[in-house]
Amino acid sequence: MESEALFCFQQTTRGTGTRRFKVYRTTAFQPVSRLASRFEKYLRRNRFPEAVHVPHWLEREGPLTSGTLATVGEQFRQFTTYHLLAVTNRDLHPFLAVPVAVDVVPALSKAVTVRIYDVADCTDGLPTADADPIATVDEDSYDAPLTGAVGEGGPMASLHVRILRAATRLAAGHDSGVAVGDPDVPTAVVPDGDHVARIDLRDTTPLRRLSNHGVFVNYGHEAVPGEELDDRRRRVLRETAASRYRYARHLWAIRNRTTRQTFADDPESYREEVEATRAQFFADVIESFGAAVAPFSSGVYGGAIREDTATRADTFALNGRLEIDAETIGATLDAADADYDPEYDHTAG
């Protein structure tokens, strides 16, 4: 279901109360603030007692599939799409996908070469033939300790999610790439403010090792005075990216034996530290965004959220306050059931 964004239109069945959605793919994505304004007018001018129909002005392909949001969340491919937007008969709920994979440096170092250019050296978003990159990030750049472009505060700290997204889509064949550099090397470009990042895909294998589970953050959940939806989306992306990369640097230091394992209790393997670090990242997301984290998030992460808040899996808002202790988050996830849904929990109450 790779695309610029996935739109889920509610298809309520009378008498059951089940929220089912038809999913459409878009390949051109407008600013979220503009979309929200257009949908507000569209939903106000039309009545949808059951199926919410796709407006004619939304470029789309599909429906790709249909089901509850929990089903869609499980099918969602992390690192390929940012946006999942749920459209009900009353509102638009914008979600940002946040992959829980934290061991991302091996994929970045082995899978791609990244060249960062000044936007002034680009034409139509592509680096000119004689443009020199202001930074080049290849496998050698990740020699421990991580410094410069790959170190703390470097461009890779915020850019890595977008780079992995572009590389994953190239690897899956959903993007044919752009005509820059070696024609035999799949290449994509990612704009980043005053800069443009060129991504050359070298190896697809490391990308397949990334976890495909993630959480969804509803950045339209709580209004912040004076902050546009697009600004809030960028804030969620920036904050979660910085948190993930901090843990990624920790795991890379362990791989290079320059620090010890700290998150896992008496770890017997590196994999245990990865799982414990992933749990800490999940706890960071919960602490930062709380009730904005979606109950249909995938894997044990969604199961833990639904059990903690007694929220059904087919909705987009939590029933209660999310209180997960960072100190015990590992045990919480170990005990969580990815398929947990309080609607079918006959032991509750």
Side-chain angles (χ1 to χ4, degrees):
M1 297 195 297
E2 297 79 6
S3 70
E4 288 299 319
L6 295 178
F7 279 85
C8 305
F9 287 84
Q10 184 174 312
Q11 314 288 298
T12 301
T13 303
R14 281 189 179 275
T16 67
T18 301
R19 286 196 185 104
R20 297 186 66 83
F21 293 80
K22 287 185 177 179
V23 182
Y24 294 83
R25 172 194 293 134
T26 66
T27 56
F29 191 65
Q30 305 172 24
V32 183
S33 299
R34 180 185 175 194
L35 277 170
S37 177
R38 296 193 73 176
F39 269 109
E40 181 183 3
K41 293 178 182 177
Y42 178 68
L43 296 173
R44 187 173 65 245
R45 293 173 179 174
N46 296 275
R47 293 190 178 275
F48 301 104
E50 295 183 13
V52 180
H53 304 299
V54 184
H56 69 86
W57 43 262
L58 183 68
E59 180 272 342
R60 77 270 188 188
E61 178 184 339
L64 307 177
T65 186
S66 64
T68 64
L69 286 178
T71 303
V72 176
E74 283 296 330
Q75 295 176 349
F76 193 95
R77 289 177 56 82
Q78 303 293 331
F79 289 115
T80 59
T81 307
Y82 285 147
H83 308 285
L84 187 149
L85 299 101
V87 185
T88 70
N89 59 356
R90 294 184 178 181
D91 209 349
L92 171 74
H93 302 269
F95 294 92
L96 181 74
V98 179
V100 296
V102 289
D103 194 10
V104 296
V105 174
L108 290 167
S109 63
K110 297 289 186 181
V112 295
T113 295
V114 180
R115 296 174 177 86
I116 300 175
Y117 296 85
D118 193 304
V119 72
D121 294 327
C122 300
T123 302
D124 296 329
L126 300 179
T128 59
D130 59 349
D132 292 323
I134 59 176
T136 298
V137 180
D138 56 19
E139 187 172 359
D140 292 339
S141 303
Y142 292 92
D143 290 343
L146 299 180
T147 59
V150 300
E152 182 179 7
M156 296 302 289
S158 59
L159 263 177
H160 70 272
V161 184
R162 302 172 69 189
I163 288 168
L164 289 170
R165 172 182 179 270
T168 303
R169 293 181 63 171
L170 285 174
H174 295 287
D175 285 339
S176 58
V178 296
V180 179
D182 187 341
D184 295 326
V185 177
T187 302
V189 293
V190 173
D192 182 44
D194 294 333
H195 302 109
V196 171
R198 163 185 158 183
I199 299 100
D200 290 353
L201 179 63
R202 303 196 317 262
D203 188 356
T204 62
T205 301
L207 299 173
R208 292 195 290 268
R209 296 178 181 144
L210 294 169
S211 169
N212 197 43
H213 283 141
V215 299
F216 297 90
V217 175
N218 183 347
Y219 56 91
H221 175 69
E222 294 180 344
V224 177
E227 190 177 31
E228 296 287 339
L229 273 177
D230 290 288
D231 294 331
R232 285 149 67 183
R233 174 187 58 80
R234 283 188 287 267
R235 177 166 58 85
V236 174
L237 180 62
R238 182 176 62 251
E239 291 183 14
T240 54
S243 178
R244 181 188 300 102
Y245 201 74
R246 182 172 66 252
Y247 291 121
R249 291 172 55 244
H250 163 71
L251 292 171
W252 189 247
I254 291 175
R255 276 179 171 248
N256 288 274
R257 296 180 173 83
T258 58
T259 192
R260 63 184 182 85
Q261 303 182 135
T262 56
F263 294 114
D265 294 329
D266 299 321
E268 296 180 359
S269 68
Y270 173 73
R271 178 50 48 190
E272 292 181 17
E273 181 71 5
V274 171
E275 292 298 328
T277 306
R278 192 178 294 168
Q280 291 299 313
F281 172 65
F282 174 63
D284 281 359
V285 176
I286 296 298
E287 182 180 357
S288 295
F289 304 107
V293 178
F296 59 86
S297 297
S298 63
V300 294
Y301 310 95
I305 292 168
R306 293 189 293 271
E307 184 170 6
D308 189 74
T309 60
T311 302
R312 287 169 47 170
D314 68 347
T315 186
F316 39 77
L318 300 180
N319 289 339
R321 181 179 177 84
L322 185 55
E323 296 180 352
I324 294 181
D325 190 342
E327 294 185 3
T328 59
I329 187 63
T332 298
L333 293 177
D334 286 342
D337 178 1
D339 297 322
Y340 180 81
D341 190 333
E343 184 178 9
Y344 305 107
D345 184 359
H346 301 297
T347 66

